[in-house]
Amino acid sequence: MALSKIDTEIEQVDQEKFLRQATNYYQALEKPLKYGPVVETLQDLIYALHKEFESNYVNIEMVNHLMLSYKSNPKEWKKYAKFDRYKYTRNLVDAGNGKFNLLILCWGEGHGSAVHDHADSHCFMKMLKGDLRERRYEYPNRPNNNNNNNKQSSEKTSHNGHIDDKELLEIGETPIAVNDVAYINDNLGLHRVENPSHSDTSVSLHLYCPPFDTCSVFQDNCKKSTSTVTFWSKYGVRTKLDDQ
């Protein structure tokens, strides 16, 4: 095949479709790549992410490496860290030219999210300050559920292969400390994130690709509803209600 034809086919690949298909197999790095680039500042991270997303064939492993490689520096992210007294906040740092969203989430004492999915996107979550606790749940009745082989799941699976979805099935709980990176996509399950401390705040950096405007929220009885995701602030500036 001529190189020019190969180049044309690469250019024609839909990046969003490619990223969504990658959730079928990607599960996350445990540590940075040995020969990957070093990210020293938050601006270095943003620049490197933009470069990575210039290609339609995004190397999601390299994206993971970049998030792992960056080390938290409060002087760099403090201007984006906006707290609310009553709930955790989502603060846009970079819109990624529509290809990804980079956000800082601020968690007051005891604040937590609902159980939710990620609209078939990749979600990377890096701790910048404090600690968070992630609880994971099996995605009810998802055909390609990667957790169907665990004991608890097997007990809730009927003879015809359908999941008994009368209640959410918790499949794991993980603490996330400063500079750790957690990763999830819908094939790995749902999750709920919370700040377990009642005396300290937490701050986390999140990368979503492709970006999404809505996600699904689940109640304990597996009742599913659609939630619109909003930004408490953008680029360090508080948003108006009609601009969120």
Side-chain angles (χ1 to χ4, degrees), residues 90 230-234 237-244:
R90 305 173 78 256
T230 59
F231 302 122
W232 202 93
S233 71
K234 293 181 179 180
V237 179
R238 180 71 166 103
T239 55
K240 299 178 181 179
L241 290 177
D242 55 356
D243 292 334
Q244 291 185 359

Side-chain angles (χ1 to χ4, degrees), residues 22 41 43 76 133 155 157 201 206 211-212 227 235 240-241:
T41 68
Q43 285 305 311
E76 298 173 349
R133 180 169 56 203
E155 292 173 350
T157 304
T201 60
H206 296 237
F212 51 90
S227 176
Y235 318 116
K240 299 178 181 179
L241 290 177

Side-chain angles (χ1 to χ4, degrees), residues 98-116:
K99 299 178 178 181
F100 66 88
N101 277 345
L102 189 67
L103 286 77
I104 281 180
L105 272 61
C106 295
W107 311 79
E109 299 87 338
H111 287 176
S113 73
V115 179
H116 61 279

Side-chain angles (χ1 to χ4, degrees), residues 14-173:
D14 182 273
Q15 185 187 89
E16 181 175 339
K17 183 178 179 181
F18 176 81
L19 283 169
R20 295 193 191 284
Q21 289 177 338
T23 64
N24 290 323
Y25 61 83
Y26 194 71
Q27 299 205 20
L29 295 174
E30 294 184 359
K31 56 185 178 180
L33 298 171
K34 188 174 182 180
Y35 300 107
V38 176
V39 175
E40 295 183 346
T41 68
L42 181 59
Q43 285 305 311
D44 286 346
L45 173 61
I46 293 171
Y47 175 79
L49 288 171
H50 275 270
K51 293 293 291 183
E52 197 59 46
F53 280 85
E54 286 179 353
S55 169
N56 287 337
Y57 283 101
V58 178
N59 184 342
I60 200 67
E61 191 172 68
M62 182 58 68
V63 172
N64 197 163
H65 162 83
L66 294 172
M67 292 292 285
L68 284 163
S69 183
Y70 172 65
K71 302 303 179 186
S72 176
N73 182 347
K75 292 181 180 179
E76 298 173 349
W77 52 257
K78 187 176 180 179
K79 64 181 179 180
Y80 302 109
K82 310 293 184 181
F83 285 85
D84 184 273
R85 180 178 178 181
Y86 301 104
K87 60 182 180 180
Y88 77 95
T89 63
R90 305 173 78 256
N91 305 282
L92 184 66
V93 175
D94 194 281
N97 291 331
K99 299 178 178 181
F100 66 88
N101 277 345
L102 189 67
L103 286 77
I104 281 180
L105 272 61
C106 295
W107 311 79
E109 299 87 338
H111 287 176
S113 73
V115 179
H116 61 279
D117 71 7
H118 295 87
D120 285 315
S121 291
H122 301 267
C123 168
F124 296 93
M125 178 171 61
K126 181 184 187 72
M127 283 307 303
L128 300 179
K129 173 186 178 293
D131 299 279
L132 288 176
R133 180 169 56 203
E134 179 196 40
R135 284 196 174 97
R136 290 200 178 187
Y137 302 84
E138 193 170 84
Y139 203 123
N141 294 326
R142 192 169 178 89
N144 56 340
N145 199 312
N146 288 336
N147 299 297
N148 280 350
N149 58 0
N150 68 45
K151 181 178 179 181
Q152 285 181 294
S153 179
S154 296
E155 292 173 350
K156 293 179 71 67
T157 304
S158 64
H159 66 278
N160 59 7
H162 292 293
I163 302 297
D164 177 5
D165 60 356
K166 293 180 180 179
E167 60 182 20
L168 289 174
L169 174 63
E170 185 172 336
I171 55 177
E173 179 178 323

